[in-house]
Amino acid sequence: RKEVEQDPGPFNVPEGATVAFNCTYSNSASQSFFWYRQDCRKEPKLLMSVYSSGNEDGRFTAQLNRASQYISLLIRDSKLSDSATYLCVVPGYGQNFVFGPGTRLSVLP
Amino acid sequence: DARVTQTPRDKVTEMGQEVTMRCQPILGHNTVFWYRQTMMQGLELLAYFRNRAPLDDSGMPKDRFSAEMPDATLATLKIQPSEPRDSAVYFCASAGQGGTEAFFGQGTRLTVV
């Protein structure tokens, strides 16, 4: 099993829709998790950190399910500007940052 | 505005040539990562350093790749000899104590022809 797995998508949704991505991980010892956003031809940037059961920031909600070893990202009222690739990040065994393959989101007008 | 700086931004080279990519991490950050990104493989961790010591370079082809941190303000990734399959975007990232967030440079887009 890969350390971090994500549905690659693409997810094509209309403006205003709610969309959710899942990410599964194999390292049960991981304590913190991150969602990064990467725009086309740009570097990844931190979107949200997830330290306990979840975190909410405006239209974005991240949830953690330790028992099932997955985290999710929910985007409500999606905007055209939300179109990007969303990367799930799980600290690895050496406290490095292991990135999932990313889920591509396209929000359509 | 603290940021990770990578040079060059773009590099086109011929197969067999040596390529050196440089990274200046954010001042005070003690962990430096090198990633490679391609359409097929996504973001792959090549190597990372903590307090300038290499912790893991298992993701790096050892025969042609080498990564070093000559000092706390400079990390280098070298490919010798380069091959067309090395064409990718190479990102450097740094993180501070506790590693709560990795900050990325803008990347070096390498094309080997």
Side-chain angles (χ1 to χ4, degrees):
Chain A
R1 180 182 178 182
K2 289 187 178 179
E3 286 189 75
V4 184
E5 296 191 80
Q6 293 182 252
D7 182 343
F11 284 61
N12 298 315
V13 303
E15 268 187 291
T18 296
V19 61
F21 312 132
N22 282 335
C23 166
T24 58
Y25 61 93
S26 61
N27 181 8
S28 58
S30 294
Q31 294 296 310
S32 55
F33 307 85
F34 308 92
W35 282 102
Y36 274 68
R37 170 193 169 128
Q38 186 174 23
D39 293 298
C40 188
R41 301 179 76 86
K42 298 284 190 179
E43 71 274 24
K45 292 184 179 178
L46 180 69
L47 177 66
M48 295 183 75
S49 305
V50 189
Y51 294 112
S52 56
S53 61
N55 190 15
E56 185 171 325
D57 182 5
R59 298 183 294 109
F60 297 82
T61 301
Q63 290 191 315
L64 168 64
N65 184 317
R66 290 188 188 276
S68 301
Q69 292 184 213
Y70 78 82
I71 60 174
S72 63
L73 178 68
L74 182 78
I75 305 176
R76 289 181 296 277
D77 188 24
S78 53
K79 313 289 185 190
L80 294 176
S81 57
D82 294 333
S83 298
T85 297
Y86 291 84
L87 301 157
C88 172
V89 184
V90 178
Y93 292 101
Q95 294 190 332
N96 56 14
F97 282 76
V98 181
F99 281 76
T103 297
R104 196 151 51 93
L105 171 67
S106 291
V107 180
L108 308 173
Chain B
D1 184 23
R3 60 179 66 187
V4 176
T5 303
Q6 289 187 247
T7 56
R9 291 289 306 279
D10 285 278
K11 175 74 175 177
V12 180
T13 191
E14 291 186 346
M15 183 172 63
Q17 296 298 304
E18 178 178 300
V19 175
T20 298
M21 290 168 271
R22 293 178 173 79
C23 168
Q24 182 176 8
I26 291 173
L27 190 65
H29 279 190
N30 69 334
T31 305
V32 176
F33 306 89
W34 281 107
Y35 290 91
R36 174 172 64 184
Q37 187 173 40
T38 61
M39 288 294 291
M40 296 300 294
Q41 298 295 328
L43 265 171
E44 300 174 275
L45 180 65
L46 296 176
Y48 77 106
F49 296 78
R50 182 155 294 138
N51 298 320
R52 294 178 56 202
L55 285 193
D56 185 359
D57 61 0
S58 59
M60 209 164 62
K62 300 291 191 305
D63 57 338
R64 299 183 300 106
F65 285 59
S66 62
E68 295 178 348
M69 276 201 78
D71 61 60
T73 65
L74 177 64
T76 62
L77 180 66
K78 190 175 296 186
I79 308 174
Q80 167 64 17
S82 57
E83 297 181 2
R85 59 181 167 148
D86 301 329
S87 298
V89 180
Y90 291 81
F91 286 106
C92 173
S94 71
Q97 292 278 3
T100 55
E101 179 180 352
F103 292 82
F104 280 76
Q106 292 179 299
T108 293
R109 183 173 299 275
L110 174 65
T111 304
V112 183
V113 298

